[in-house]
Amino acid sequence: MLRIGLGYDVHRLHDGLSLTLGGINIPYGAGFRAYSDGDPVSHAVVDAILGIIDPGHDIADWFPDTDPQNKNIRSIQYLHRLRPVLEDRHVILHNLDMVIEAERPKLKPHFLAMRQAIADALGLPVDCIGIKGKTSEGSGYLGRGEAIAVRVVVLADL
């Protein structure tokens, strides 16, 4: 049976913090203040996968910020933790595709490294991971560069 999972996450940027997207550090000068590293790419991918394997639940249910082992974790580790669950349930991920919405920094030079980190975490070929970047053309909080948002869709067989 085919299933589609949809994930979304947004995090506000704060000066002086490190920026992690898709499991990689990106030099920028601003990053996310969060219980984990705040990586909205990894968080949105987790939610998309959970939409397939555990409808009605999200990242906060599986990896709560009340659990000390999630404090300051690199969020790409959540994908590593989901991989054996997918294998145990015989879920075959076909592909995932995402849009990262950010005014800055320019992210395209980092897409291949992000795709590889996600592919490695989930045990997929890198060509099964799609990433596109968009801006808000100066509109709203995303357009003012106050945050980064990510939308992800995942296709899987159960």
Side-chain angles (χ1 to χ4, degrees):
M1 173 173 56
L2 282 177
R3 281 219 176 143
I4 296 172
L6 176 66
Y8 173 80
D9 198 33
V10 62
H11 281 281
R12 179 176 295 276
L13 289 162
H14 298 274
D15 290 336
L17 298 175
S18 63
L19 179 62
T20 302
L21 288 170
I24 66 161
N25 292 321
I26 298 173
Y28 181 52
F32 309 114
R33 183 175 295 134
Y35 195 74
S36 65
D37 63 5
D39 177 354
V41 168
S42 294
H43 293 184
V45 172
V46 167
D47 276 342
I49 291 171
L50 292 177
I52 292 168
I53 66 169
D54 196 8
H57 294 94
D58 64 18
I59 192 169
D61 297 317
W62 278 64
F63 306 109
D65 63 8
T66 55
D67 185 338
Q69 70 177 336
N70 295 326
K71 179 74 174 160
N72 297 321
I73 193 171
R74 294 182 52 82
S75 297
I76 196 80
Q77 291 302 313
Y78 297 147
L79 302 181
H80 286 279
R81 290 184 190 175
L82 282 176
R83 186 173 174 180
V85 175
L86 294 167
E87 291 168 357
D88 288 347
R89 296 181 185 190
H90 307 286
V91 175
I92 299 167
L93 297 180
H94 291 291
N95 75 304
L96 65 87
D97 195 28
M98 75 181 71
V99 175
I100 303 172
E101 192 172 352
E103 288 300 305
R104 52 194 174 280
K106 294 296 181 196
L107 297 174
K108 192 167 189 165
H110 305 284
F111 285 171
L112 182 56
M114 283 190 256
R115 291 172 60 216
Q116 189 65 61
I118 295 164
D120 290 347
L122 294 173
L124 294 172
V126 72
D127 65 352
C128 292
I129 313 296
I131 302 178
K132 294 167 288 301
K134 300 293 179 193
T135 70
S136 293
E137 298 188 9
S139 175
Y141 67 93
L142 292 170
R144 290 189 298 271
E146 297 172 10
I148 294 177
V150 181
R151 290 167 181 82
V152 176
V153 64
V154 175
L155 179 65
D157 251 316
L158 298 182

